[in-house]
Amino acid sequence: SDEMKMSRAAAVLLPTLRLVFSAFIGRAPVARRHLFSASTMSDEAAELASRPLITLSDGTCHPSIGFGTYKCGSIPASASASTSSNTGEASPPARDIVSEALACGYRFLDCAQFYANEAEVGAAVADSGVARSELYLASKVWTSTIESGPEAVLAQLDRTLTDLGTEYLDLYCIHWPVPGKHVAAYKALEPLVAAGKIRSLGLSNYSVEDYQELVASGLSVSPQINQIELNPFLYRKNTVDFFRAEGVLLQSYRALRDGKQFGHPLLVSIAASHGVSTAQILGRWCVQKGFIYIPKSVKKERMEENARVFHFALKEEEMKSLDDLTTPEAIENFKGLYRKCVNRDTSKDGTLDGVKMDITND
């Protein structure tokens, strides 16, 4: 009907008009326009593809929601057993999973060398026919490559570009602050921003102290992102406040806690009051905090559900009660994981050689 066509067109057009209006009154620059035809997308996919973007301090724009490709189609050999999926179900190929995510309307794909599936992700992107200008492609260089030195880091970037089928990345991150090596890796990438191979540089799993070490070395390109675990069960407020003050936007991984807390009584209660799922409560908490939300799933219906977090808001008291779910034990567990992972897959794997023992944990 004409009414349905108008509704579908509005789902695509209105978010863009909001961004243009914001730019006109000086609150945000004009973000790139989403060009998908409403006739080829569902209303829900068009709405997700048109979600507002967040402006980074370098002037580029970052989608407020993305799709995580970790463990899509394959599980890295050294993946943490504590976060491994153990459903007994065989995972579909990464190409199929990412194709579904793109069909659902996701336009930010969070990738990494470590995930060992970038060629499959690239194939899905090629299959989709989605214009490169409408995608936000991000990747991360792994610890073993960082340890090998700047030349290895640059070679890996070229492999990632080839695998993803793109001439540039919107964001490239240092995956872990490998002791004695991460600064040189970051500085090797700085010239590639001016060269056009990378739009923005970022970090992942950096503590306050790792960031301070990096900045103290003298940078020509400021980090725009730090991707860390963020959810109500690991909300490190002092760390969050520090990076915000530095103008570094935080991306959240494990925003949904791998589904392991979906039955938590507080989540169940809040979800019931809003008529949504507990996954959506976790996702909404992330978005409402101003973090980049990166859910992941191999099932289309859950991809769609995870993205439905923009139509409701949590009350102030609900946010506070969710914040309080982080326990001292969770902080201790984080400390142990950090110490284990900064040297993971390097020649110092299993040791604390060079690891910062006194960091901001909370």
PDB file of all heavy atoms in Angstrom, residues 25-48:
ATOM      1  N   ILE A  25      22.995  22.841  12.921  1.00  0.00           N
ATOM      2  CA  ILE A  25      23.003  23.644  14.139  1.00  0.00           C
ATOM      3  C   ILE A  25      24.307  23.513  14.895  1.00  0.00           C
ATOM      4  O   ILE A  25      24.451  24.007  16.005  1.00  0.00           O
ATOM      5  CB  ILE A  25      21.818  23.263  15.061  1.00  0.00           C
ATOM      6  CG1 ILE A  25      21.932  21.821  15.531  1.00  0.00           C
ATOM      7  CG2 ILE A  25      20.500  23.507  14.362  1.00  0.00           C
ATOM      8  CD1 ILE A  25      20.872  21.445  16.556  1.00  0.00           C
ATOM      9  N   GLY A  26      25.284  22.812  14.304  1.00  0.00           N
ATOM     10  CA  GLY A  26      26.620  22.815  14.863  1.00  0.00           C
ATOM     11  C   GLY A  26      26.917  21.725  15.861  1.00  0.00           C
ATOM     12  O   GLY A  26      27.944  21.753  16.522  1.00  0.00           O
ATOM     13  N   ARG A  27      26.067  20.725  15.995  1.00  0.00           N
ATOM     14  CA  ARG A  27      26.310  19.685  16.985  1.00  0.00           C
ATOM     15  C   ARG A  27      27.088  18.517  16.435  1.00  0.00           C
ATOM     16  O   ARG A  27      27.677  17.758  17.178  1.00  0.00           O
ATOM     17  CB  ARG A  27      24.968  19.166  17.546  1.00  0.00           C
ATOM     18  CG  ARG A  27      24.231  20.189  18.348  1.00  0.00           C
ATOM     19  CD  ARG A  27      23.043  19.586  19.068  1.00  0.00           C
ATOM     20  NE  ARG A  27      22.234  18.761  18.192  1.00  0.00           N
ATOM     21  CZ  ARG A  27      20.989  18.419  18.492  1.00  0.00           C
ATOM     22  NH1 ARG A  27      20.428  18.826  19.593  1.00  0.00           N
ATOM     23  NH2 ARG A  27      20.298  17.656  17.650  1.00  0.00           N
ATOM     24  N   ALA A  28      27.077  18.325  15.140  1.00  0.00           N
ATOM     25  CA  ALA A  28      27.798  17.190  14.554  1.00  0.00           C
ATOM     26  C   ALA A  28      28.013  17.460  13.074  1.00  0.00           C
ATOM     27  O   ALA A  28      27.216  18.143  12.436  1.00  0.00           O
ATOM     28  CB  ALA A  28      26.985  15.889  14.725  1.00  0.00           C
ATOM     29  N   PRO A  29      29.094  16.913  12.510  1.00  0.00           N
ATOM     30  CA  PRO A  29      29.300  17.064  11.075  1.00  0.00           C
ATOM     31  C   PRO A  29      28.335  16.179  10.307  1.00  0.00           C
ATOM     32  O   PRO A  29      27.762  15.245  10.857  1.00  0.00           O
ATOM     33  CB  PRO A  29      30.743  16.576  10.871  1.00  0.00           C
ATOM     34  CG  PRO A  29      30.957  15.614  11.985  1.00  0.00           C
ATOM     35  CD  PRO A  29      30.160  16.146  13.143  1.00  0.00           C
ATOM     36  N   VAL A  30      28.148  16.497   9.047  1.00  0.00           N
ATOM     37  CA  VAL A  30      27.274  15.666   8.221  1.00  0.00           C
ATOM     38  C   VAL A  30      27.934  14.313   8.022  1.00  0.00           C
ATOM     39  O   VAL A  30      29.059  14.227   7.543  1.00  0.00           O
ATOM     40  CB  VAL A  30      27.009  16.325   6.855  1.00  0.00           C
ATOM     41  CG1 VAL A  30      26.155  15.416   5.989  1.00  0.00           C
ATOM     42  CG2 VAL A  30      26.320  17.673   7.053  1.00  0.00           C
ATOM     43  N   ALA A  31      27.254  13.243   8.418  1.00  0.00           N
ATOM     44  CA  ALA A  31      27.793  11.890   8.250  1.00  0.00           C
ATOM     45  C   ALA A  31      27.474  11.405   6.845  1.00  0.00           C
ATOM     46  O   ALA A  31      26.572  11.917   6.177  1.00  0.00           O
ATOM     47  CB  ALA A  31      27.186  10.952   9.286  1.00  0.00           C
ATOM     48  N   ARG A  32      28.216  10.396   6.418  1.00  0.00           N
ATOM     49  CA  ARG A  32      27.959   9.875   5.084  1.00  0.00           C
ATOM     50  C   ARG A  32      26.546   9.302   4.987  1.00  0.00           C
ATOM     51  O   ARG A  32      26.044   8.701   5.927  1.00  0.00           O
ATOM     52  CB  ARG A  32      28.998   8.813   4.722  1.00  0.00           C
ATOM     53  CG  ARG A  32      29.105   7.661   5.700  1.00  0.00           C
ATOM     54  CD  ARG A  32      30.197   6.717   5.219  1.00  0.00           C
ATOM     55  NE  ARG A  32      30.282   5.564   6.088  1.00  0.00           N
ATOM     56  CZ  ARG A  32      31.196   5.424   7.021  1.00  0.00           C
ATOM     57  NH1 ARG A  32      32.074   6.368   7.229  1.00  0.00           N
ATOM     58  NH2 ARG A  32      31.237   4.341   7.764  1.00  0.00           N
ATOM     59  N   ARG A  33      25.926   9.480   3.886  1.00  0.00           N
ATOM     60  CA  ARG A  33      24.523   9.107   3.696  1.00  0.00           C
ATOM     61  C   ARG A  33      24.416   7.634   3.299  1.00  0.00           C
ATOM     62  O   ARG A  33      25.197   7.137   2.517  1.00  0.00           O
ATOM     63  CB  ARG A  33      23.916   9.984   2.601  1.00  0.00           C
ATOM     64  CG  ARG A  33      22.421   9.807   2.419  1.00  0.00           C
ATOM     65  CD  ARG A  33      21.868  10.926   1.561  1.00  0.00           C
ATOM     66  NE  ARG A  33      22.516  10.976   0.258  1.00  0.00           N
ATOM     67  CZ  ARG A  33      22.049  10.356  -0.826  1.00  0.00           C
ATOM     68  NH1 ARG A  33      20.961   9.610  -0.737  1.00  0.00           N
ATOM     69  NH2 ARG A  33      22.664  10.468  -1.978  1.00  0.00           N
ATOM     70  N   HIS A  34      23.421   6.973   3.865  1.00  0.00           N
ATOM     71  CA  HIS A  34      23.166   5.579   3.503  1.00  0.00           C
ATOM     72  C   HIS A  34      22.300   5.538   2.249  1.00  0.00           C
ATOM     73  O   HIS A  34      21.271   6.198   2.172  1.00  0.00           O
ATOM     74  CB  HIS A  34      22.478   4.860   4.665  1.00  0.00           C
ATOM     75  CG  HIS A  34      23.352   4.782   5.875  1.00  0.00           C
ATOM     76  ND1 HIS A  34      24.344   3.845   6.029  1.00  0.00           N
ATOM     77  CD2 HIS A  34      23.399   5.552   6.987  1.00  0.00           C
ATOM     78  CE1 HIS A  34      24.952   4.025   7.181  1.00  0.00           C
ATOM     79  NE2 HIS A  34      24.409   5.051   7.775  1.00  0.00           N
ATOM     80  N   LEU A  35      22.707   4.754   1.257  1.00  0.00           N
ATOM     81  CA  LEU A  35      22.105   4.827  -0.064  1.00  0.00           C
ATOM     82  C   LEU A  35      21.249   3.628  -0.435  1.00  0.00           C
ATOM     83  O   LEU A  35      20.880   3.469  -1.581  1.00  0.00           O
ATOM     84  CB  LEU A  35      23.226   4.985  -1.119  1.00  0.00           C
ATOM     85  CG  LEU A  35      24.160   6.179  -0.905  1.00  0.00           C
ATOM     86  CD1 LEU A  35      25.285   6.122  -1.932  1.00  0.00           C
ATOM     87  CD2 LEU A  35      23.386   7.478  -1.055  1.00  0.00           C
ATOM     88  N   PHE A  36      20.938   2.762   0.537  1.00  0.00           N
ATOM     89  CA  PHE A  36      20.234   1.541   0.179  1.00  0.00           C
ATOM     90  C   PHE A  36      18.809   1.818  -0.230  1.00  0.00           C
ATOM     91  O   PHE A  36      18.114   2.631   0.353  1.00  0.00           O
ATOM     92  CB  PHE A  36      20.241   0.570   1.369  1.00  0.00           C
ATOM     93  CG  PHE A  36      21.628   0.232   1.799  1.00  0.00           C
ATOM     94  CD1 PHE A  36      22.166   0.810   2.922  1.00  0.00           C
ATOM     95  CD2 PHE A  36      22.412  -0.602   1.040  1.00  0.00           C
ATOM     96  CE1 PHE A  36      23.464   0.541   3.302  1.00  0.00           C
ATOM     97  CE2 PHE A  36      23.708  -0.879   1.405  1.00  0.00           C
ATOM     98  CZ  PHE A  36      24.238  -0.298   2.550  1.00  0.00           C
ATOM     99  N   SER A  37      18.382   1.111  -1.247  1.00  0.00           N
ATOM    100  CA  SER A  37      17.013   1.237  -1.726  1.00  0.00           C
ATOM    101  C   SER A  37      16.060   0.532  -0.784  1.00  0.00           C
ATOM    102  O   SER A  37      16.253  -0.641  -0.461  1.00  0.00           O
ATOM    103  CB  SER A  37      16.889   0.629  -3.130  1.00  0.00           C
ATOM    104  OG  SER A  37      15.536   0.513  -3.498  1.00  0.00           O
ATOM    105  N   ALA A  38      15.050   1.250  -0.335  1.00  0.00           N
ATOM    106  CA  ALA A  38      14.074   0.640   0.575  1.00  0.00           C
ATOM    107  C   ALA A  38      13.369  -0.540  -0.067  1.00  0.00           C
ATOM    108  O   ALA A  38      12.895  -1.436   0.616  1.00  0.00           O
ATOM    109  CB  ALA A  38      13.049   1.694   1.008  1.00  0.00           C
ATOM    110  N   SER A  39      13.315  -0.562  -1.379  1.00  0.00           N
ATOM    111  CA  SER A  39      12.611  -1.638  -2.068  1.00  0.00           C
ATOM    112  C   SER A  39      13.333  -2.968  -1.954  1.00  0.00           C
ATOM    113  O   SER A  39      12.741  -4.011  -2.183  1.00  0.00           O
ATOM    114  CB  SER A  39      12.420  -1.281  -3.545  1.00  0.00           C
ATOM    115  OG  SER A  39      13.670  -1.185  -4.202  1.00  0.00           O
ATOM    116  N   THR A  40      14.641  -2.944  -1.621  1.00  0.00           N
ATOM    117  CA  THR A  40      15.401  -4.188  -1.533  1.00  0.00           C
ATOM    118  C   THR A  40      15.715  -4.577  -0.094  1.00  0.00           C
ATOM    119  O   THR A  40      16.377  -5.566   0.142  1.00  0.00           O
ATOM    120  CB  THR A  40      16.724  -4.065  -2.307  1.00  0.00           C
ATOM    121  OG1 THR A  40      17.508  -3.014  -1.722  1.00  0.00           O
ATOM    122  CG2 THR A  40      16.469  -3.761  -3.771  1.00  0.00           C
ATOM    123  N   MET A  41      15.252  -3.798   0.874  1.00  0.00           N
ATOM    124  CA  MET A  41      15.530  -4.084   2.275  1.00  0.00           C
ATOM    125  C   MET A  41      14.243  -4.080   3.079  1.00  0.00           C
ATOM    126  O   MET A  41      13.303  -3.350   2.759  1.00  0.00           O
ATOM    127  CB  MET A  41      16.483  -3.026   2.865  1.00  0.00           C
ATOM    128  CG  MET A  41      17.818  -2.894   2.166  1.00  0.00           C
ATOM    129  SD  MET A  41      18.802  -1.555   2.886  1.00  0.00           S
ATOM    130  CE  MET A  41      19.228  -2.296   4.463  1.00  0.00           C
ATOM    131  N   SER A  42      14.202  -4.873   4.146  1.00  0.00           N
ATOM    132  CA  SER A  42      13.073  -4.808   5.053  1.00  0.00           C
ATOM    133  C   SER A  42      13.126  -3.479   5.804  1.00  0.00           C
ATOM    134  O   SER A  42      14.161  -2.822   5.865  1.00  0.00           O
ATOM    135  CB  SER A  42      13.137  -5.965   6.057  1.00  0.00           C
ATOM    136  OG  SER A  42      14.225  -5.782   6.941  1.00  0.00           O
ATOM    137  N   ASP A  43      12.002  -3.091   6.386  1.00  0.00           N
ATOM    138  CA  ASP A  43      11.975  -1.857   7.169  1.00  0.00           C
ATOM    139  C   ASP A  43      13.009  -1.911   8.285  1.00  0.00           C
ATOM    140  O   ASP A  43      13.709  -0.931   8.559  1.00  0.00           O
ATOM    141  CB  ASP A  43      10.582  -1.660   7.779  1.00  0.00           C
ATOM    142  CG  ASP A  43       9.542  -1.277   6.729  1.00  0.00           C
ATOM    143  OD1 ASP A  43       9.930  -0.974   5.589  1.00  0.00           O
ATOM    144  OD2 ASP A  43       8.347  -1.294   7.072  1.00  0.00           O
ATOM    145  N   GLU A  44      13.102  -3.064   8.935  1.00  0.00           N
ATOM    146  CA  GLU A  44      14.001  -3.210  10.083  1.00  0.00           C
ATOM    147  C   GLU A  44      15.462  -3.104   9.650  1.00  0.00           C
ATOM    148  O   GLU A  44      16.277  -2.452  10.304  1.00  0.00           O
ATOM    149  CB  GLU A  44      13.750  -4.550  10.768  1.00  0.00           C
ATOM    150  CG  GLU A  44      14.379  -4.657  12.146  1.00  0.00           C
ATOM    151  CD  GLU A  44      13.855  -5.856  12.903  1.00  0.00           C
ATOM    152  OE1 GLU A  44      14.113  -6.992  12.456  1.00  0.00           O
ATOM    153  OE2 GLU A  44      13.203  -5.663  13.942  1.00  0.00           O
ATOM    154  N   ALA A  45      15.810  -3.729   8.518  1.00  0.00           N
ATOM    155  CA  ALA A  45      17.180  -3.661   8.025  1.00  0.00           C
ATOM    156  C   ALA A  45      17.531  -2.243   7.586  1.00  0.00           C
ATOM    157  O   ALA A  45      18.639  -1.753   7.846  1.00  0.00           O
ATOM    158  CB  ALA A  45      17.374  -4.631   6.856  1.00  0.00           C
ATOM    159  N   ALA A  46      16.594  -1.569   6.930  1.00  0.00           N
ATOM    160  CA  ALA A  46      16.840  -0.191   6.504  1.00  0.00           C
ATOM    161  C   ALA A  46      17.056   0.710   7.709  1.00  0.00           C
ATOM    162  O   ALA A  46      17.914   1.595   7.694  1.00  0.00           O
ATOM    163  CB  ALA A  46      15.662   0.316   5.671  1.00  0.00           C
ATOM    164  N   GLU A  47      16.294   0.470   8.766  1.00  0.00           N
ATOM    165  CA  GLU A  47      16.442   1.278   9.982  1.00  0.00           C
ATOM    166  C   GLU A  47      17.803   1.047  10.621  1.00  0.00           C
ATOM    167  O   GLU A  47      18.484   1.996  11.018  1.00  0.00           O
ATOM    168  CB  GLU A  47      15.326   0.930  10.973  1.00  0.00           C
ATOM    169  CG  GLU A  47      15.348   1.805  12.213  1.00  0.00           C
ATOM    170  CD  GLU A  47      14.214   1.474  13.176  1.00  0.00           C
ATOM    171  OE1 GLU A  47      13.457   0.520  12.900  1.00  0.00           O
ATOM    172  OE2 GLU A  47      14.099   2.163  14.200  1.00  0.00           O
ATOM    173  N   LEU A  48      18.240  -0.214  10.709  1.00  0.00           N
ATOM    174  CA  LEU A  48      19.539  -0.522  11.300  1.00  0.00           C
ATOM    175  C   LEU A  48      20.671   0.061  10.461  1.00  0.00           C
ATOM    176  O   LEU A  48      21.631   0.628  11.000  1.00  0.00           O
ATOM    177  CB  LEU A  48      19.707  -2.036  11.441  1.00  0.00           C
ATOM    178  CG  LEU A  48      21.060  -2.543  11.962  1.00  0.00           C
ATOM    179  CD1 LEU A  48      21.407  -1.898  13.296  1.00  0.00           C
ATOM    180  CD2 LEU A  48      21.044  -4.067  12.093  1.00  0.00           C
TER     181      LEU A  48
END
